[in-house]
Amino acid sequence: MKKWIKRIILIVIVGLVIFAIFNKPEETKTYRTSQVEKGNIESVVSGSGTLVATKDHKEYSKVSAEVEDIYYVEGDKVEKDYPIIKLDSSNYEATVKAQEIAIKQAELSKQNIEKQIKDLEIKSETDGYVSNLSIEKGSYVTNAMAICNIVKDGRFSVVLQFTYYENNPILVGSKANITLVDSMATMTGTVTKVSDMRKLIAGNAQVVDVTIETDTTGFSLEGANAKAEIYNGSMIIPSANMAKFTSINSNIVRSKTIGTVKDVYVNEGKRVQRGETIALLENSDLTTNLQTVNLNLENLNNQLVAMKKQLGYYLIKAPIAGTITSQTVEKGDMVAAGTMLTSISDKDTMEFVVPIDELDIAKIDYDQEVRVKIDALEETENNPLVGKITDIPEEGVTVSGVTDYYVTIQVSGNQSMKISMNANADIVVNSVKDVLIVPVDAIVKEKGKKYVDILHDDGVTVERREVETGASDITNIEVRSGLSEGEKVIIPEVNSGISFFM
């Protein structure tokens, strides 16, 4: 009996257990969800670099000299082309002066040679007749050599000796009858000068030199032998000798240089005008000398240009407007050529270079918005500075299989910004506003399509729906179709086995 009771109790217990198992109430499932809403999405590429001045110049000494004066010091602002440092140039200035003197001497030498070349053409300096021509083609002419006389029309004179009479002297203004010995032609003349000095001639007679002048028209008496008689009021006194006429207005043409006669353009007795060429000389040495002095003068002038340029090296001027950020010398220092003297930076415009990965460089363009934050300037964290892209290189730098392109970002400077501060740039490569967005983790990808799981309002029903996506950032993604604002999307658990959209 007891056995049956135990069996019945065991059957009841088993039945209760089976009933409890099959009649266990269903457990409610919970999901992590996010609501579809409108928002903005920005995609940025970031990078960091060190600030430098866009315009920066280091000035090095081009000469060795002592620092004579310093006009600006580190931290001062300076305008372009203003003197900053003066080096002692006194020794070099003396060298330049000596060069200038050498050039003047060479110029004088050139002028002298040019004058000699010009003087190879012998010209008449007055109007008249050629007389006593002493050269012919091929003659060698020396400097100051008499070439010919130019006899002017008009007045001629002859100096004759007359017997001296103490009680009846010959007076200036007395008339004289002149006889040309060769032709026996006669003419009258006038005494214009009587010498005070008496001379003793043969027979112990005393004579004085008397100058007699006469006028002609259309002919010359130059070189004609003459004698004369003078009537002094009480007696006729003949000349004790004969002499040659000379032109009172005669001009001797002399060579002003040396050379060989190439051509003669006049002959004896030819009438010439002032400036007319008498003869032409040639002298190849003068031409060679002129070429030599011209080459020397050109060389001296080129040297002077270079020396004056170098003289400018002693006054250091600001190549740009900006702030002196570094100055390494003091007044009285001796500096060698190549010594860095000063550094000037225009901090109104700063820039830095950021490395951009090869996977992102194609997204970068010049017109994109750039937000700049400076580590040392806390205010830029919430109010970034506005930057701009000024250089996108065509060639990258590869290190350990990773290629970066170094993009230059420019930003306006201010008083707080210092060279070498660290700067960070966020380059906005894509931006959409007021679009439907969901968390990136809500998107699942299966067989090349994108889906989201929607949880209905009952909290139980789940619907899988295909969607079209757009822009994204590291948190959210744009949904262009397939969802409505306010719907709830399920964010799958990481270990759920579903393929997430990345």
Side-chain angles (χ1 to χ4, degrees):
M1 185 69 179
K2 288 181 180 180
K3 281 185 175 182
W4 282 104
I5 293 172
K6 290 181 180 179
R7 289 177 180 176
I8 292 170
I9 292 170
L10 181 60
I11 292 170
V12 171
I13 291 171
V14 171
L16 289 171
V17 171
I18 293 172
F19 178 81
I21 292 173
F22 285 98
N23 288 277
K24 182 180 179 182
E26 188 174 342
E27 185 178 330
T28 302
K29 187 172 184 180
T30 59
Y31 299 94
R32 188 163 63 98
T33 63
S34 177
Q35 188 168 317
V36 180
E37 59 185 5
K38 285 191 173 182
N40 304 327
I41 291 180
E42 282 187 344
S43 179
V44 299
V45 174
S46 300
S48 300
T50 303
L51 285 174
V52 296
T54 300
K55 293 181 181 179
D56 179 83
H57 186 87
K58 289 179 173 58
E59 190 68 26
Y60 295 85
S61 177
K62 297 180 177 67
V63 295
S64 297
E66 181 181 343
V67 178
E68 183 177 297
D69 212 343
I70 295 177
Y71 306 114
Y72 293 90
V73 297
E74 191 170 314
D76 287 348
K77 286 190 174 182
V78 63
E79 296 297 323
K80 182 180 179 182
D81 294 328
Y82 274 38
I84 303 172
I85 297 173
K86 175 72 170 66
L87 303 179
D88 182 12
S89 60
S90 56
N91 290 336
Y92 197 74
E93 285 174 357
T95 303
V96 173
K97 188 66 176 178
Q99 184 75 3
E100 291 174 339
I101 292 173
I103 288 174
K104 287 181 179 179
Q105 291 173 336
E107 288 174 342
L108 290 174
S109 178
K110 177 182 177 180
Q111 291 171 9
N112 180 51
I113 295 172
E114 288 176 336
K115 183 180 182 302
Q116 291 185 64
I117 291 175
K118 182 180 179 181
D119 289 340
L120 290 172
E121 186 177 6
I122 302 172
K123 296 182 178 182
S124 173
E125 297 179 359
T126 186
D127 301 340
Y129 298 91
V130 175
S131 173
N132 298 327
L133 184 63
S134 63
I135 60 170
E136 61 183 10
K137 189 173 182 179
S139 300
Y140 181 75
V141 175
T142 60
N143 189 35
M145 175 179 169
I147 303 301
C148 65
N149 289 347
I150 303 298
V151 180
K152 295 183 180 180
D153 290 337
R155 203 165 183 80
F156 295 85
S157 70
V158 62
V159 179
L160 295 169
Q161 295 177 341
F162 287 86
T163 303
Y164 172 74
Y165 295 98
E166 185 176 356
N167 296 324
N168 197 12
I170 297 173
L171 303 175
V172 173
S174 300
K175 296 297 180 181
N177 293 318
I178 304 168
T179 301
L180 301 180
V181 176
D182 296 332
S183 64
M184 299 306 293
T186 61
M187 60 189 65
T188 61
T190 302
V191 176
T192 59
K193 186 184 298 182
V194 179
S195 174
D196 292 330
M197 183 177 67
R198 287 172 281 172
K199 298 178 182 178
L200 191 65
I201 61 173
N204 291 326
Q206 295 185 23
V207 296
V208 292
D209 290 337
V210 177
T211 302
I212 301 171
E213 295 183 10
T214 187
D215 295 325
T216 64
T217 303
F219 64 94
S220 172
L221 292 176
E222 180 80 14
N225 287 313
K227 59 183 180 178
E229 294 177 338
I230 297 175
Y231 179 68
N232 67 349
S234 61
M235 60 184 298
I236 296 175
I237 305 173
S239 60
N241 68 335
M242 60 181 181
K244 293 181 181 293
F245 266 108
T246 61
S247 172
I248 294 175
N249 297 317
S250 177
N251 177 262
I252 300 176
V253 178
R254 297 183 182 276
S255 171
K256 298 176 182 177
T257 186
I258 61 175
T260 303
V261 177
K262 182 178 181 181
D263 284 303
V264 180
Y265 300 105
V266 299
N267 49 40
E268 188 76 21
K270 184 179 185 302
R271 181 171 178 79
V272 295
Q273 302 294 321
R274 178 184 177 87
E276 186 174 339
T277 301
I278 302 296
L280 181 64
L281 308 181
E282 58 184 358
N283 187 333
S284 59
D285 289 341
L286 290 177
T287 304
T288 301
N289 291 343
L290 182 60
Q291 291 174 344
T292 300
V293 77
N294 277 332
L295 289 173
N296 182 47
L297 193 56
E298 181 181 1
N299 184 47
L300 290 173
N301 278 312
N302 288 339
Q303 290 176 358
L304 182 61
V305 170
M307 291 170 73
K308 284 187 174 180
K309 181 180 179 182
Q310 185 165 341
L311 189 59
Y313 297 157
Y314 288 83
L315 184 61
I316 313 303
K317 296 182 179 180
I320 60 172
T323 302
I324 297 178
T325 54
S326 176
Q327 196 138 281
T328 61
V329 296
E330 295 180 355
K331 186 175 180 179
D333 286 353
M334 287 296 300
V335 296
T339 301
M340 203 280 277
L341 301 175
T342 186
S343 178
I344 302 174
S345 300
D346 179 4
K347 297 198 296 181
D348 289 342
T349 306
M350 310 283 276
E351 66 182 30
F352 58 102
V353 176
V354 298
I356 302 297
D357 189 272
E358 61 182 315
L359 300 177
D360 293 323
I361 192 63
K363 304 173 186 177
I364 305 298
D365 203 354
Y366 286 98
D367 59 355
Q368 290 168 338
E369 179 184 354
V370 183
R371 300 183 190 124
V372 177
K373 299 176 182 178
I374 311 297
D375 288 350
L377 305 180
E378 294 182 2
E379 63 271 19
T380 62
E381 183 65 31
N382 296 322
N383 296 293
L385 303 174
V386 177
K388 66 177 181 179
I389 298 171
T390 58
D391 184 57
I392 303 173
E394 293 294 326
E395 186 175 353
V397 177
T398 302
V399 178
S400 301
V402 177
T403 300
D404 287 326
Y405 292 80
Y406 288 84
V407 174
T408 302
I409 307 296
Q410 192 177 94
V411 63
S412 296
N414 57 48
Q415 291 296 325
S416 301
M417 293 170 65
K418 305 291 184 184
I419 292 174
S420 298
M421 282 184 173
N422 292 320
N424 309 288
D426 288 334
I427 305 171
V428 181
V429 297
N430 195 6
S431 176
V432 292
K433 298 181 182 299
D434 200 27
V435 296
L436 294 178
I437 60 174
V438 297
V440 172
D441 294 344
I443 305 297
V444 295
K445 186 176 181 182
E446 291 182 355
K447 297 180 180 179
K449 294 184 179 182
K450 299 170 188 175
Y451 301 91
V452 294
D453 290 327
I454 300 171
L455 181 63
H456 285 264
D457 291 340
D458 59 9
V460 176
T461 306
V462 176
E463 175 190 355
R464 173 156 291 193
R465 192 180 298 172
E466 184 179 355
V467 294
E468 179 187 356
T469 61
S472 65
D473 55 25
I474 60 174
T475 305
N476 298 313
I477 187 169
E478 174 191 5
V479 178
R480 294 177 176 173
S481 65
L483 293 177
S484 298
E485 186 177 3
E487 290 185 302
K488 291 182 180 180
V489 295
I490 296 174
I491 302 175
E493 299 295 334
V494 175
N495 58 356
S496 64
I498 298 175
S499 175
F500 295 101
F501 172 78
M502 301 302 292

